[in-house]
Amino acid sequence: MDVTRERAWATLTTYTKSEALRRHALAVEAAVMAYARALGEDEELWSATALLHDFDYEIHPTLDKHPQDGAPLLREEGYPEELIEAVLSHAEHLALPRDTPLKKTLFACDELSGFICACGFVRPDGIETLAPKSVRKKLKQPSFAAGVSRADVYKGTEELGLELNEHIEFVIAALRPLAAELGLRAESPAEA
């Protein structure tokens, strides 16, 4: 089977009805795709993997099921093991090795993308002027976006071999073109 973004989007939207989860998938995709371009990797595969990393979350919302119970569904649909293994490896509780650039990138972008979106939601201009310093400051506030694992953010950054500021800046830049679609920009007076 050819892995395409369109096919992955169709799979995602079959299993995921929540607009918030779909937006999360789009944010993670934007970040992962930016890294794929920067590293000269297979953009279709990386895009599809990012879109599908949480595709089963609505039907398997607990750690004893997500994402491991989603893997057979992806196999039934004909997705390659490379994609499925990356989806599985993004779940820290499964303790699978992240031994490829795709696995490392997906893990590193998942929690951070969600956290950057949360930062943008509380700013008047969304992520337009969001800087790494502001993100780092919010990371130190346990009550802010409490569902985001700070340990995963730091571990993912380390696995990529990057400095935290560099990774944050890269992900913010990747998300900015999708700011309107992700709900991360202020409404203009005409839209209000």
Side-chain angles (χ1 to χ4, degrees):
M1 153 188 157
D2 285 337
V3 177
T4 65
R5 183 199 189 276
E6 290 71 27
R7 172 113 190 238
W9 181 255
T11 300
L12 174 70
T13 56
T14 296
Y15 292 96
T16 302
K17 303 307 178 194
S18 161
E19 286 302 317
L21 282 173
R22 287 180 181 185
R23 280 193 308 272
H24 173 66
L26 290 171
V28 175
E29 179 199 24
V32 168
M33 283 285 294
Y35 275 113
R37 278 187 219 102
L39 299 170
E41 295 288 348
D42 181 340
E43 292 182 34
E44 288 286 320
L45 174 65
W46 285 41
S47 169
T49 303
L51 284 174
L52 294 171
H53 81 283
D54 281 343
F55 88 100
D56 70 320
Y57 191 77
E58 283 184 0
I59 57 174
H60 304 130
T62 58
L63 293 182
D64 64 325
K65 300 221 178 257
H66 169 71
Q68 55 272 28
D69 285 9
L73 298 172
L74 293 175
R75 287 186 183 100
E76 286 172 21
E77 293 208 18
Y79 286 99
E81 281 303 308
E82 182 179 7
L83 180 151
I84 295 165
E85 288 176 14
V87 167
L88 290 169
S89 75
H90 96 279
E92 188 70 350
H93 68 277
L94 296 179
L96 297 172
R98 284 184 288 276
D99 52 5
T100 68
L102 174 55
K103 291 175 183 178
K104 290 175 185 177
T105 303
L106 177 62
F107 179 72
C109 292
D110 182 21
E111 294 290 299
L112 183 59
S113 294
F115 194 80
I116 288 170
C117 287
C119 290
F121 291 142
V122 299
R123 293 171 56 88
D125 70 345
I127 60 171
E128 186 58 36
T129 62
L130 182 62
K133 180 180 180 181
S134 296
V135 175
R136 284 193 334 273
K137 183 177 178 183
K138 289 288 191 191
L139 280 167
K140 293 177 184 173
Q141 297 174 5
S143 62
F144 180 81
V148 173
S149 168
R150 274 63 169 170
D152 286 0
V153 169
Y154 299 129
K155 185 174 185 178
T157 303
E158 183 180 312
E159 287 180 7
L160 282 182
L162 298 175
E163 294 295 324
L164 186 58
N165 275 355
E166 183 182 8
H167 184 41
I168 291 169
E169 193 168 342
F170 190 90
V171 172
I172 291 170
L175 297 182
R176 278 194 181 124
L178 289 178
E181 192 172 353
L182 298 174
L184 299 176
R185 69 169 175 80
E187 292 182 19
S188 68
E191 295 173 314

Coordinates of all heavy atoms in Angstrom, one line a residue, residues 12 34 39 62 70 98 101 110 112 114 173 182 192:
L12 N -7.8 8.7 10.0 CA -8.0 9.5 11.3 C -9.4 9.9 11.5 O -10.0 9.8 12.5 CB -7.1 10.7 11.2 CG -7.2 11.7 12.3 CD1 -6.7 11.2 13.6 CD2 -6.5 13.0 12.0
A34 N 7.8 19.4 9.2 CA 8.9 20.3 9.1 C 10.3 19.6 9.3 O 11.3 19.9 8.6 CB 8.7 21.5 10.1
L39 N 15.3 17.2 7.3 CA 16.2 16.0 7.4 C 16.2 15.3 6.0 O 17.0 14.3 5.9 CB 15.8 15.1 8.5 CG 15.8 15.7 9.9 CD1 15.2 14.7 10.9 CD2 17.3 15.9 10.3
T62 N -7.4 4.8 27.3 CA -6.6 4.5 28.5 C -5.3 3.8 28.1 O -5.1 3.2 27.0 CB -7.4 3.5 29.4 OG1 -7.7 2.3 28.7 CG2 -8.6 4.2 29.9
G70 N -4.8 0.0 18.9 CA -5.0 0.6 17.6 C -4.1 -0.1 16.5 O -4.4 0.0 15.3
R98 N 13.1 3.9 20.6 CA 12.9 4.9 19.5 C 14.3 5.0 18.8 O 15.1 5.8 19.1 CB 12.5 6.3 20.1 CG 11.0 6.3 20.5 CD 10.5 7.6 21.0 NE 11.1 7.9 22.3 CZ 10.6 7.5 23.5 NH1 9.5 6.8 23.5 NH2 11.1 7.9 24.6
P101 N 15.0 8.0 13.1 CA 14.6 9.5 13.2 C 13.1 9.7 13.3 O 12.7 10.6 14.0 CB 15.2 10.0 11.9 CG 16.4 9.1 11.6 CD 15.9 7.7 12.0
D110 N 5.2 15.4 19.8 CA 3.8 15.1 20.3 C 3.4 16.0 21.4 O 2.6 16.9 21.3 CB 3.7 13.6 20.7 CG 2.3 13.3 21.1 OD1 1.3 14.0 20.8 OD2 2.2 12.2 21.8
L112 N 5.2 18.4 22.9 CA 5.6 19.8 22.7 C 4.6 20.6 21.8 O 4.2 21.7 22.1 CB 7.0 20.0 22.2 CG 7.5 21.4 22.0 CD1 7.5 22.2 23.4 CD2 8.9 21.5 21.4
G114 N 1.4 20.0 21.5 CA 0.2 20.2 22.3 C 0.5 21.3 23.3 O -0.4 22.2 23.5
A173 N 7.7 27.6 14.7 CA 7.7 28.1 13.3 C 6.9 27.1 12.4 O 6.3 27.6 11.4 CB 9.2 28.1 12.8
L182 N -5.6 25.9 13.5 CA -5.5 25.4 14.9 C -6.1 26.2 16.0 O -6.1 25.8 17.1 CB -4.0 25.2 15.2 CG -3.2 24.2 14.3 CD1 -1.7 24.3 14.6 CD2 -3.8 22.8 14.4
A192 N -14.6 38.8 14.4 CA -15.2 38.8 15.7 C -16.7 38.9 15.8 O -17.3 39.3 14.9 CB -14.5 39.9 16.6

